Amino acid sequence: MKNYLLWPTAVTVLLCANVGAQQVQDSTKTVQLDEVVVSDSRFQLKRENSGKTIITISQQELKQNQGRSVAEIINTKSGIEINGTRSFAGQNLSTYVRGGNNRQVLVIIDGIQVSDPSGTSAEYDLRLLNTDQIESIEILKGAASTLYGNSAATAVINITTKKTSKEGLALDVISSMGTNQTEADQNYNLSDFSNTVNLTAKQGKLSILASGGHQYTDGLSAAIGTESDEFSRIDGNIKLGYRFSDRFEINASAFYNKLNSDYDNGFPIEDADFHFTSEQSRFGLSSSYGYENGSINVNTAFNQIDRVFESTFPASYDSQSYIVDVFNKYTFSENIHTIVGLNYIDNQTLFSEEYDSNTVDPYLNAVYVGNQGINVNAGLRLNNHSNYGSNFIYNINPSYRFDINDGYLKFMGSYATSYIAPNLSQLYGPFGANPDLNPEEDSTLEGGFEFKVSDVFIINAIYFNRTEDNRIAYVTIDPNTFESQYRNLADTAHFDGVEVGLDTELAEGLTFDTNYTYTNSKEGLALRVPKSKINATLGYVIKEDTFVGLSYQYVSDRTDTDFATFSDVTLDSFSLANLQLRHQFCTNLSAFLAVDNILNEEYTEVVSFTTKGRNVRLGFKLSL
């Protein structure tokens, strides 16, 4: 028995033997630097000079949330509700930001817009992402179509994947296992497994990264029932980079992701042997040539997604996207930063026959960083759509900063417009298609402040007011046959609300982060959108190498549709508490323990569908 108990210690000593007296490099302790944000301007500007409250999810935060999905981590941020993250692993994800829906949120990966033209909202499926392959995430809320084009009406989720940075050869192995159970069935069987391997190599001007991952989850039924529905994901990517000189570099990448998931019947709601497969291949090439005070950048990508549904109403989709983004960045002195670019996107989808659309958008954006605290970010874009012609969109985002000792007080305001053309599925897809749809036109007004007392205390608050004209909705046109179709709503939709955030260090090593979101609409909020939401995390670093985090989430009551009666119902509010423990044994070995829904709360996320109870996950990361 003694030998059995001592073997984990012996393994740890062996793995850490080569470290010697070397200080732990991958510890939970971080050095405070001036935070730099990119998404609101595409330039690396200090946070104090940005007119937005950019949400940054650093590599450190991703490590401290090891074992959780990208969608689960993003779902803890202000202004965002990702419905489906608390259900079975294969549940469809719906991203609601400031009263908007999936089609108004744009996902960017390594500088390239990604979407699925065959999807009902043309959104990118966040389930495809592997957290252990991501370096950082920035979230820009509000209309940002002038910089990023169609769909960037409520938020841009800007994801940067890992790349090679160190000379030589390095290997990371990340593995975890855990339970996947409901509140009523606490059996603690291991039924959720995840593994990722990242290999990097760098020799002089050449860098290579190769990564592969796998997730398998079982144990929960999609609809409330007894038959469990399996979910699996495999993913891989390879990135090659070559720096020809200090001015010129080229990077090539290839990504492959595949999802397999069982699912149940949605009408009538019942256990069923339905199956879903989504397979994505993406190839990208980017280059940058620097010259005095500026650079010329070219980003190109080809993305293909195949989706197959095996059910009572089987369907298959094959979509392709071609993206080219060419832009010139130029800095006049230290005060004026400009971007002039051309963005081309071609979308193709095979339904009963092949359909396509394309956009050719020239755009201009300029940022003025004043020496006296005045900053202005402004831009315009001419959206040229193959079906809907030309349309101007623009943004103006002034801010004013007062320097106060080691911090600042910053006041911010912005007004921006967005233009969202109907996607191919809404125009020509198999369910409710309407080729007579008009584009949706959105505008967002924001105003607020950010107060940074020091590196350990930042508070911000933003008021937003959004309007949507020609909002596209899926409406029932014949209640007797339940026939539905996509239609432009006649009335203007209004949404307003407040987002408040606080990041502080209560004592050395003890941090407290919290945010509150209030979203309101006179016409009523969309289904499953909470009016109020609170997130809070209390974290403590023990002796530089152990992190303990306790997080809390409150979601107010929401409206959903009960498809058994086709009537709207009110879902009760709920609160969830999670625990995260991470320990760094040495430079090359760390482990974590996560307990989600500690109190085993019973709640509903989607009517008649399963939600997660208390679950436990254990994992490690080994670096060689």
Side-chain angles (χ1 to χ4, degrees):
M1 177 64 70
K2 290 182 179 180
N3 290 336
Y4 175 77
L5 293 174
L6 287 175
W7 81 264
T9 303
V11 171
T12 302
V13 171
L14 178 62
L15 291 173
C16 297
N18 294 328
V19 178
Q22 182 180 355
Q23 183 180 2
V24 173
Q25 296 174 357
D26 188 23
S27 75
T28 56
K29 184 178 181 179
T30 59
V31 178
Q32 289 288 347
L33 301 173
D34 288 336
E35 184 178 350
V36 172
V37 294
V38 177
S39 296
D40 65 331
S41 66
R42 291 200 183 179
F43 284 92
Q44 292 187 349
L45 300 178
K46 291 182 180 180
R47 182 187 180 99
E48 63 193 63
N49 294 326
S50 170
K52 297 281 191 176
T53 53
I54 307 293
I55 296 174
T56 301
I57 302 175
S58 65
Q59 178 61 203
Q60 189 67 22
E61 184 173 353
L62 292 173
K63 289 178 181 178
Q64 292 173 352
N65 284 276
Q66 193 173 343
R68 296 194 171 102
S69 70
V70 172
E72 286 176 309
I73 297 172
I74 293 176
N75 198 32
T76 65
K77 304 307 176 183
S78 67
I80 302 172
E81 164 63 17
I82 303 184
N83 183 269
T85 58
R86 312 170 189 93
S87 302
F88 95 110
Q91 182 69 274
N92 292 330
L93 299 180
S94 298
T95 304
Y96 306 115
V97 181
R98 296 181 172 181
N101 53 42
N102 278 8
R103 62 188 303 267
Q104 296 161 328
V105 177
L106 178 66
V107 177
I108 295 176
I109 300 179
D110 293 337
I112 289 292
Q113 302 110 314
V114 290
S115 64
D116 180 2
S118 71
T120 55
S121 295
E123 78 275 17
Y124 181 79
D125 191 345
L126 294 174
R127 295 174 300 177
L128 292 166
L129 296 172
N130 182 339
T131 308
D132 295 317
Q133 295 172 342
I134 293 174
E135 181 63 29
S136 64
I137 303 172
E138 277 193 358
I139 303 172
L140 170 63
K141 287 175 295 183
S145 291
T146 53
L147 265 180
Y148 298 107
N150 204 18
S151 298
T154 61
V156 173
I157 301 174
N158 195 345
I159 297 170
T160 302
T161 60
K162 290 184 176 179
K163 60 182 179 181
T164 304
S165 58
K166 298 179 181 179
E167 284 286 335
L169 189 66
L171 175 69
D172 289 340
V173 178
I174 306 104
S175 183
S176 66
M177 62 182 66
T179 62
N180 188 42
Q181 56 198 14
T182 65
E183 168 269 338
D185 187 14
Q186 293 284 291
N187 52 45
Y188 291 95
N189 294 327
L190 293 178
S191 51
D192 190 359
F193 304 89
S194 179
N195 300 283
T196 302
V197 176
N198 295 324
L199 176 66
T200 63
K202 185 175 182 181
Q203 180 66 47
K205 299 178 180 180
L206 177 66
S207 61
I208 301 172
L209 179 145
S211 178
H214 174 261
Q215 177 189 352
Y216 172 81
T217 305
D218 196 7
L220 289 183
S221 173
I224 294 176
T226 58
E227 181 187 36
S228 64
D229 293 303
E230 297 181 358
F231 171 86
S232 68
R233 184 197 69 232
I234 59 173
D235 49 74
N237 69 76
I238 183 167
K239 302 172 75 173
L240 302 174
Y242 192 82
R243 179 173 287 276
F244 293 88
S245 66
D246 292 339
R247 293 178 177 269
F248 182 52
E249 66 174 324
I250 291 181
N251 294 279
S253 60
F255 292 80
Y256 176 80
N257 307 79
K258 184 175 183 179
L259 299 180
N260 286 289
S261 181
D262 298 333
Y263 69 101
D264 291 329
N265 200 358
F267 178 72
I269 303 242
E270 61 183 359
D271 279 332
D273 293 326
F274 295 168
H275 188 76
F276 160 72
T277 300
S278 176
E279 190 171 11
Q280 175 188 252
S281 301
R282 186 171 75 255
F283 304 92
L285 184 66
S286 64
S287 62
S288 176
Y289 176 77
Y291 60 93
E292 187 175 0
N293 297 331
S295 64
I296 299 174
N297 303 267
V298 180
N299 294 334
T300 64
F302 168 74
N303 192 44
Q304 179 167 336
I305 298 180
D306 298 322
R307 297 186 298 135
V308 178
F309 295 85
E310 300 173 7
S311 68
T312 306
F313 299 96
S316 61
Y317 306 92
D318 181 0
S319 67
Q320 298 178 349
S321 297
Y322 303 88
I323 303 100
V324 179
D325 192 18
V326 182
F327 56 95
N328 180 76
K329 300 169 67 174
Y330 189 80
T331 299
F332 295 89
S333 67
E334 297 180 356
N335 302 99
I336 301 177
H337 308 268
T338 63
I339 287 183
V340 179
L342 182 69
N343 188 202
Y344 170 78
I345 300 177
D346 182 85
N347 293 319
Q348 301 177 11
T349 296
L350 178 64
F351 297 117
S352 57
E353 57 183 280
E354 186 172 284
Y355 296 92
D356 65 2
S357 66
N358 64 72
T359 57
V360 182
D361 297 2
Y363 60 93
L364 167 67
N365 200 81
V367 178
Y368 171 74
V369 180
N371 296 326
Q372 304 301 318
I374 299 176
N375 306 306
V376 180
N377 186 341
L380 55 87
R381 189 183 192 102
L382 178 61
N383 181 271
N384 298 290
H385 195 280
S386 56
N387 295 341
Y388 296 101
S390 300
N391 188 78
F392 268 111
I393 51 179
Y394 61 91
N395 81 284
I396 178 72
N397 176 207
S399 63
Y400 187 78
R401 183 192 75 253
F402 298 93
D403 292 327
I404 302 176
N405 296 326
D406 295 330
Y408 59 84
L409 174 62
K410 178 175 63 175
F411 293 97
M412 303 167 286
S414 71
Y415 182 79
T417 62
S418 294
Y419 179 87
I420 306 177
N423 61 61
L424 292 174
S425 181
Q426 294 169 334
L427 292 170
Y428 311 112
F431 302 106
N434 182 1
D436 297 323
L437 287 172
N438 293 316
E440 180 180 292
E441 298 180 18
D442 294 6
S443 64
T444 300
L445 176 68
E446 297 179 56
F449 73 91
E450 181 169 275
F451 183 33
K452 178 180 179 182
V453 178
S454 65
D455 289 335
V456 295
F457 186 93
I458 299 178
I459 185 171
N460 54 62
I462 290 289
Y463 167 78
F464 64 86
N465 190 307
R466 295 182 52 245
T467 62
E468 300 179 7
D469 289 312
N470 289 326
R471 183 173 189 171
I472 298 174
Y474 194 63
V475 298
T476 300
I477 57 178
D478 188 340
N480 296 318
T481 62
F482 303 113
E483 182 182 358
S484 299
Q485 187 181 43
Y486 288 102
R487 294 283 180 89
N488 291 108
L489 301 184
D491 296 332
T492 298
H494 294 270
F495 302 92
D496 67 346
V498 177
E499 299 165 355
V500 180
L502 170 66
D503 297 336
T504 185
E505 186 172 343
L506 302 175
E508 186 176 356
L510 181 63
T511 59
F512 178 66
D513 305 329
T514 186
N515 60 72
Y516 169 73
T517 303
Y518 172 77
T519 308
N520 181 57
S521 175
K522 293 180 181 179
E523 297 82 12
L525 290 174
L527 296 178
R528 304 170 191 163
V529 178
K531 179 167 286 190
S532 294
K533 186 176 179 181
I534 300 173
N535 297 287
T537 300
L538 185 67
Y540 185 52
V541 176
I542 305 172
K543 295 183 179 180
E544 300 186 6
D545 52 15
T546 302
F547 172 80
V548 180
L550 180 64
S551 62
Y552 167 83
Q553 185 174 86
Y554 166 80
V555 178
S556 70
D557 54 17
R558 294 90 56 224
T559 301
D560 199 3
T561 298
D562 185 347
F563 286 101
T565 61
F566 278 89
S567 61
D568 288 344
V569 297
T570 299
L571 304 181
D572 292 336
S573 62
F574 63 89
S575 298
L576 300 177
N578 305 320
L579 175 68
Q580 189 83 6
L581 174 65
R582 182 175 184 269
H583 181 71
Q584 192 78 37
F585 293 99
C586 57
T587 305
N588 56 347
L589 179 64
S590 64
F592 78 91
L593 171 68
V595 184
D596 292 339
N597 193 2
I598 299 172
L599 302 179
N600 200 31
E601 176 91 359
E602 181 182 4
Y603 59 99
T604 300
E605 190 173 37
V606 180
V607 171
S608 300
F609 280 78
T610 306
T611 52
K612 298 176 184 177
R614 182 190 301 114
N615 282 281
V616 179
R617 175 176 286 272
L618 178 68
F620 71 89
K621 176 182 179 182
L622 175 63
S623 301
L624 301 173

